[in-house]
Amino acid sequence: MPPLSQSTPRTNILKARSPGKLNLTFDILGDLPGGYHEVETLMQTVDIQDNLTFAFSRADNFSLEIKSIEFAGRAADVPVDQNNLIAKAANLFIQNIGNKVDRPETNYRISVQLRKCVPVAGGMGGGSGNAAATLVAMNSWFDSCFSNQELMDMAAKLGADVPFFINGGTQIGTERGDVLTSVEHKTDLSFLIVGPKLFGMSTPEVYRAYDEDKNDNSQRISAYAGAEALKSGNSANIAQTFGNAFEACVYSRKPELKFIANRLKKIGGYCTRLTGSGPTLYVLTKDTAESESIQKSLSDELISGINGWSDWPDLEITSFVASSTNHGVTLDVDPEL
Ligand code: ATP
């Protein structure tokens, strides 16, 4: 438990980083009770990370305030109220702590600053990662009163993608994507991640589009085949196993995204795929140098308007060179603060 006495100085700041994820494979197997889809996905954390700073101060009751959210130096289009997944995670944590800690001991005001790097509403699970980071940071503050499994159980209540971010790395998600099996392998993956702005299909809309189009002849995209390929370490074989069942329904409704994906396929890399419900795309590449070279070609084409880009004059695209990581949320306590 954090010391209350003034005589024991202790930093009241916790800093956490939550990575983004890519769905290396994503398939829909059927329906689950409660209106959910049964999915099978191979997920991978990457080194594009959001930075969260939590400042704790004593108060008469528990509260959490989100002071600022910025993306690329500007205010991000993300709610700062109790709808933010950070606030939802903190409130759930405090509800659950009841039988572990005396209620007055939880009377803190937490002020949060969030610097986003993971594209917002892009299919990279940024908000889910932030929720996981909040659970991990609060658990650290409250003396690790919950086990890793208890944190995972709480995470699952916040959203299907949240538990994955507690441990991150490479994991297969089944059922709603939240029944997780970790995949051990030694392959470092390099990517160019391409995030078009101004898209406008939410995750529920993409699921609805998928249901409308449902094509029973579509090929199975196996997370287990992806995991086996990762263990083999051969990138060309690995790329063959990647895929996303949403691509057809999203590309048919968003021809500009299909165009970008086709251009990326032409420019280079082993494969270009959609992550989650999009619109973020990733190119699997040989190494960072190849990711940078594709990034440069993409930028040159976009600026000059060649190869069909002039047909889409309003496209705004951000791209990131990224690598796979073997961890989820990380925490550091800065003793200087
Ligand atoms: P999902 O597939 O869950 O929709 P995503 O990866 O596509 O997620 P997120 O960046 O997580 O995209 O944002 C999804 C939605 O959640 C957005 O509409 C956003 O406003 C909202 N949101 C709530 N809290 C956060 C947060 N801390 N960071 C980002 N978005 C958040």
Side-chain angles (χ1 to χ4, degrees):
M1 184 52 42
L4 302 180
S5 138
Q6 294 291 324
S7 61
T8 322
R10 180 189 196 229
T11 177
N12 67 337
I13 303 277
L14 283 179
K15 290 187 173 195
R17 280 185 291 266
S18 61
K21 62 97 180 122
L22 297 176
N23 296 90
L24 304 179
T25 71
F26 181 86
D27 205 1
I28 298 179
L29 306 186
D31 297 323
L32 290 171
Y36 294 108
H37 289 79
E38 182 183 3
V39 308
E40 181 185 296
T41 177
L42 180 63
M43 293 178 281
Q44 175 66 58
T45 42
V46 292
D47 57 359
I48 300 173
Q49 308 195 78
D50 288 346
N51 292 274
L52 300 95
T53 305
F54 298 87
F56 293 76
S57 49
R58 268 295 185 194
D60 294 334
N61 48 32
F62 173 79
S63 67
L64 179 138
E65 167 208 49
I66 297 174
K67 253 175 83 179
S68 64
I69 305 183
E70 73 164 59
F71 184 90
R74 288 192 242 153
D77 185 16
V78 177
V80 290
D81 58 14
Q82 298 301 304
N83 288 316
N84 193 294
L85 281 161
I86 294 171
K88 288 186 180 170
N91 291 332
L92 183 67
F93 186 96
I94 291 297
Q95 271 168 33
N96 277 270
I97 209 170
N99 54 357
K100 305 256 185 192
V101 169
D102 288 341
R103 191 56 74 181
E105 298 293 332
T106 66
N107 286 346
Y108 280 93
R109 179 172 175 277
I110 307 178
S111 173
V112 187
Q113 284 176 287
L114 171 59
R115 193 154 51 80
K116 290 203 76 76
C117 295
V118 177
V120 174
M124 289 185 68
S128 300
N130 296 165
T134 306
L135 296 177
V136 169
M138 289 187 69
N139 201 39
S140 166
W141 182 259
F142 289 107
D143 221 12
S144 301
C145 59
F146 292 112
S147 66
N148 194 271
Q149 187 54 52
E150 286 172 317
L151 284 188
M152 301 277 281
D153 293 344
M154 260 187 263
K157 294 194 177 120
L158 292 162
D161 279 350
V162 184
F164 165 72
F165 287 99
I166 302 276
N167 298 317
T170 315
Q171 299 186 45
I172 294 173
T174 53
E175 297 195 13
R176 286 197 304 142
D178 55 350
V179 175
L180 298 168
T181 310
S182 136
V183 177
E184 303 301 329
H185 66 91
K186 294 195 167 63
T187 307
D188 293 324
L189 299 171
S190 295
F191 303 100
L192 180 70
I193 295 176
V194 175
K197 284 194 198 145
L198 305 175
F199 183 60
M201 259 178 107
S202 67
T203 303
E205 280 169 337
V206 173
Y207 271 106
R208 274 196 294 278
Y210 176 86
D211 287 340
E212 267 167 37
D213 293 6
K214 207 180 252 166
N215 171 4
D216 290 336
N217 297 323
S218 58
Q219 229 186 327
R220 267 285 275 123
I221 302 162
S222 166
Y224 298 91
E228 281 312 307
L230 284 177
K231 288 176 193 168
S232 82
N234 177 320
S235 295
N237 290 346
I238 290 169
Q240 299 287 323
T241 64
F242 289 0
N244 186 327
F246 283 144
E247 282 174 8
C249 69
V250 171
Y251 290 163
S252 68
R253 285 162 181 80
K254 296 287 167 185
E256 66 275 46
L257 193 62
K258 185 178 180 181
F259 167 76
I260 300 169
N262 283 340
R263 279 314 308 152
L264 288 168
K265 286 175 194 170
K266 289 256 162 52
I267 295 172
Y270 293 109
C271 67
T272 295
R273 291 293 179 195
L274 188 75
T275 180
S277 56
T280 306
L281 300 162
Y282 64 87
V283 185
L284 177 68
T285 63
K286 191 158 54 98
D287 51 25
T288 300
E290 191 185 24
S291 299
E292 286 170 351
S293 147
I294 296 171
Q295 187 177 42
K296 165 119 189 20
S297 303
L298 174 68
S299 159
D300 289 348
E301 289 199 357
L302 197 61
I303 291 167
S304 64
I306 57 167
N307 293 334
W309 289 94
S310 56
D311 295 344
W312 306 99
D314 298 329
L315 282 180
E316 259 189 81
I317 294 178
T318 315
S319 63
F320 313 82
V321 172
S323 302
S324 54
T325 67
N326 60 5
H327 59 79
V329 166
T330 52
L331 205 56
D332 44 78
V333 180
D334 186 347
E336 300 300 314
L337 293 166

